[in-house]
Amino acid sequence: MPKMKSHKGASKRFKKTATGKIKRGHSHLRHILTSKDKKRKRKLGSSTLVSDADAHKIARMIPYQ
């Protein structure tokens, strides 16, 4: 049986934690940063977990990570 292929776009954006949950980064931190306050930029820099509704779809895209 052949191996499954990872979705390369998803594998660059998502990582699995040690407990099996899926971690993601935030958007809106690339440009036009002068109009965003410091608190918002600090929160966007941290990573968070994927919602339970989307976790199953993303887990299928990154089977080996």
Side-chain angles (χ1 to χ4, degrees):
M1 193 70 198
K3 289 183 180 179
M4 293 173 62
K5 285 194 172 182
S6 296
H7 189 286
K8 299 313 273 184
S11 64
K12 293 170 189 175
R13 288 172 173 84
F14 304 104
K15 302 290 176 217
K16 282 187 183 172
T17 62
T19 57
K21 295 178 181 175
I22 300 172
K23 190 169 66 167
R24 68 169 175 87
H26 286 98
S27 59
H28 304 292
L29 200 59
R30 293 291 184 201
H31 61 98
I32 317 175
L33 297 175
T34 55
S35 61
K36 297 167 186 159
D37 60 340
K38 291 180 183 179
K39 180 181 177 182
R40 180 177 171 191
K41 289 187 281 189
R42 189 169 59 245
K43 301 267 184 193
L44 290 175
S46 62
S47 60
T48 186
L49 295 176
V50 170
S51 67
D52 293 334
D54 298 325
H56 182 67
K57 287 188 285 188
I58 296 167
R60 285 178 55 203
M61 288 193 269
I62 52 170
Y64 301 114
Q65 270 74 25

